[in-house]
Amino acid sequence: MMTPFIVGNWKMNTSLEEAVALAGNVANAADAAGDAVEVGICPPFPWLVPVREAIQARSVRLGAQDCAATNNGAFTGDVSATMLAPVCDLVLVGHSERRSVHGETDEIVSQKVGKAIDAGLRVILCVGESKDERDAGDAESIVRRQLDTALDGLHAGASGALTIAYEPVWAIGTGVAATEQDASEMALFIDALFADRFGDQGAGVRVLYGGSANTGNAAAFLAATGVDGLLVGGASLKPDDFTAMIEAGARR
Ligand code: PGA
């Protein structure tokens, strides 16, 4: 069984003071949990450096919420993977809010994955279907398309840098999580896609569930076959809740 990975996606939230305090709290919980669980946090870009200082030598991975599809140039407002690499351990790519609010296509997501891996970052690649797509019975084919495009051209050796977050769009920020069974079925589907694509040379992939994960459902998702952790939005901003979710990860 893979070590559970509990990751907080803070989105566009926190003041500088709140970010540093929250990071300290997460570091305490992560240190207390030890090797039984891996913990990550993804603060907004400007807080990466101060948060990094706050968690130095603590057992928390630092992640950015996005990176650019190119390394440098005339891209006002963008931040490249090569700029993030000296500061962060990992980066979220393809979050549904980037796809829907910023119009990121599967092809753009694929370019970002490539740049992030080339820069030496670990990638949490987010995939997931909309409500209409699930209702139409297309959830697996949508996730397959997202993954096939994002992973196109990636060699097996690079697959170890990837974690997949299955985040059904209709569950994100709505308070309506998927069922553990839905999460488990999709996680096993993703495992099978990886095995098909990378065969024996590929590393087994860790699959996280995300979408209204909270203290009430964390343990059940973590117990679901194929689910290796959680990508947590809203609940990661509440110190006690996120601590409880880290503890649930450590207990698995
Ligand atoms: P949520 O967000 O936990 O607030 O639903 C999850 C995410 O967007 O990663």
Side-chain angles (χ1 to χ4, degrees), residues 9 11 92 95-97 126 167 171-175 210-213 231-236:
N9 172 15
K11 310 194 180 185
L92 304 181
H95 191 281
S96 80
E97 286 149 18
C126 305
E167 298 206 306
I172 295 177
T174 59
S212 298
L231 180 56
V232 187
S236 74

Side-chain angles (χ1 to χ4, degrees), residues 41-149:
I41 46 175
C42 303
F45 282 132
W47 309 159
L48 285 170
V49 171
V51 163
R52 179 168 174 253
E53 278 156 20
I55 60 173
Q56 233 169 27
R58 314 290 295 273
S59 30
V60 182
R61 311 270 176 260
L62 185 62
Q65 296 174 15
D66 182 40
C67 67
T70 44
N71 279 342
N72 48 49
F75 300 100
T76 302
D78 282 354
V79 178
S80 70
T82 49
M83 293 168 177
L84 293 169
V87 179
C88 298
D89 306 298
L90 49 97
V91 60
L92 304 181
V93 176
H95 191 281
S96 80
E97 286 149 18
R98 301 295 316 173
R99 294 177 191 261
S100 64
V101 183
H102 296 271
E104 289 185 11
T105 60
D106 290 333
E107 287 70 23
I108 292 172
V109 170
S110 174
Q111 289 165 19
K112 292 185 174 196
V113 170
K115 291 292 182 228
I117 289 180
D118 287 349
L121 291 165
R122 287 168 56 190
V123 173
I124 299 180
L125 170 63
C126 305
V127 296
E129 80 289 353
S130 68
K131 179 89 173 74
D132 286 351
E133 288 161 347
R134 174 156 286 269
D135 290 346
D138 293 336
E140 287 190 350
S141 64
I142 294 296
V143 167
R144 178 197 294 274
R145 189 206 71 215
Q146 291 172 336
L147 280 177
D148 277 350
T149 312

